[in-house]
Amino acid sequence: DTGVSQNPRHKITKRGQNVTFRCDPISEHNRLYWYRQTLGQGPEFLTYFQNEAQLEKSRLLSDRFSAERPKGSFSTLEIQRTEQGDSAMYLCASSFLNTEAFFGQGTRLTVV
Amino acid sequence: GENVEQHPSTLSVQEGDSAVIKCTYSDSASNYFPWYKQELGKRPQLIIDIRSNVGEKKDQRIAVTLNKTAKHFSLHITETQPEDSAVYFCAASKNSGYALNFGKGTSLLVTP
């Protein structure tokens, strides 16, 4: 599969623990986006990168959230001190400059 | 920021009928309007998009119209088939390649 790949697909964690998700974009894509989707809602934008530079962050991205794309290829999204409200599907997408964005299948986080 | 409203939230049609989903947006700077289809448990997939310099775009049974003055755009699916059943999301953005602001989605059910 040469599409956007996300790992893990599912993550169950206890409240207060830290979690990290990984996204591998389509290889030639230089833009990478993170979204969060809760049940019955549309995806909500969190942040995006062009190459390794983080160009925009939503106010939804509290200081417990951090995203990196160190070499301009894969990206990680870390959530520290998880809360039950963090339970959601975390979607990654990628695009080449101003072309359409392709989504990964997401990482479903459950905080218990 | 941009606010995208989408309706209806659910839509049920008979196979062969047409389905129309409508969205409004608030930011006059938005000029890229994609539509995504999301089947249960799967990633959102782009089905059609339109830019502000175009009023209408068609792709087989799917069409999108845009009224930039009124800040609304619509998805039209003709000759619906059961495999069209899914959740459809509209979105708005300054341009492709930037953060997408999604509507809350429309759950479309096509009954045979």
Side-chain angles (χ1 to χ4, degrees):
Chain A
D1 187 356
T2 56
V4 178
S5 176
Q6 291 189 246
N7 288 288
R9 293 290 309 278
H10 303 274
K11 178 72 178 179
I12 300 174
T13 191
K14 291 185 178 178
R15 191 163 47 119
Q17 298 292 304
N18 299 345
V19 293
T20 300
F21 311 139
R22 177 178 168 126
C23 172
D24 288 89
I26 294 171
S27 60
E28 64 269 23
H29 285 187
N30 58 355
R31 288 191 178 168
L32 185 149
Y33 316 81
W34 285 100
Y35 290 84
R36 180 174 68 187
Q37 186 176 26
T38 53
L39 199 61
Q41 302 293 315
E44 296 173 296
F45 170 74
L46 294 177
T47 188
Y48 92 93
F49 294 83
Q50 177 161 313
N51 301 316
E52 65 276 7
Q54 189 172 19
L55 295 188
E56 188 175 348
K57 291 196 290 188
S58 163
R59 63 182 183 277
L60 292 175
L61 210 68
S62 77
D63 57 7
R64 296 186 297 106
F65 288 69
S66 62
E68 293 184 339
R69 195 182 182 198
K71 296 181 181 178
S73 56
F74 73 92
S75 175
T76 58
L77 177 68
E78 181 183 17
I79 309 174
Q80 295 182 326
R81 305 180 303 281
T82 51
E83 301 172 357
Q84 286 192 319
D86 297 332
S87 295
M89 176 74 83
Y90 289 84
L91 291 164
C92 175
S94 70
S95 71
F96 178 70
L97 293 178
N98 291 346
T99 59
E100 68 175 275
F102 291 84
F103 281 84
Q105 292 198 308
T107 293
R108 180 168 295 285
L109 173 67
T110 302
V111 181
V112 296
Chain B
E2 175 65 276
N3 181 43
V4 178
E5 301 278 343
Q6 181 173 350
H7 59 95
S9 56
T10 60
L11 180 59
S12 183
V13 299
Q14 293 273 335
E15 183 177 1
D17 287 350
S18 295
V20 180
I21 303 170
K22 299 183 180 183
C23 288
T24 60
Y25 62 98
S26 61
D27 188 348
S28 56
S30 291
N31 58 19
Y32 175 64
F33 307 93
W35 287 87
Y36 282 82
K37 175 183 179 183
Q38 188 174 31
E39 297 176 44
L40 191 63
K42 297 193 175 179
R43 71 188 77 195
Q45 291 193 297
L46 181 74
I47 54 171
I48 195 167
D49 57 12
I50 192 167
R51 298 175 191 276
S52 61
N53 58 348
V54 174
E56 182 175 0
K57 184 176 177 182
K58 277 187 179 179
D59 183 3
Q60 300 182 331
R61 298 185 297 108
I62 294 172
V64 58
T65 58
L66 170 65
N67 183 327
K68 207 159 165 29
T69 303
K71 296 197 193 114
H72 66 72
F73 56 112
S74 300
L75 178 72
H76 304 252
I77 306 174
T78 58
E79 300 171 23
T80 53
Q81 301 166 2
E83 51 265 40
D84 293 330
S85 297
V87 180
Y88 291 81
F89 294 99
C90 64
S93 176
K94 289 187 298 187
N95 202 344
S96 55
Y98 291 87
L100 294 171
N101 298 281
F102 283 86
K104 290 188 175 181
T106 296
S107 179
L108 173 65
L109 177 65
V110 181
T111 53

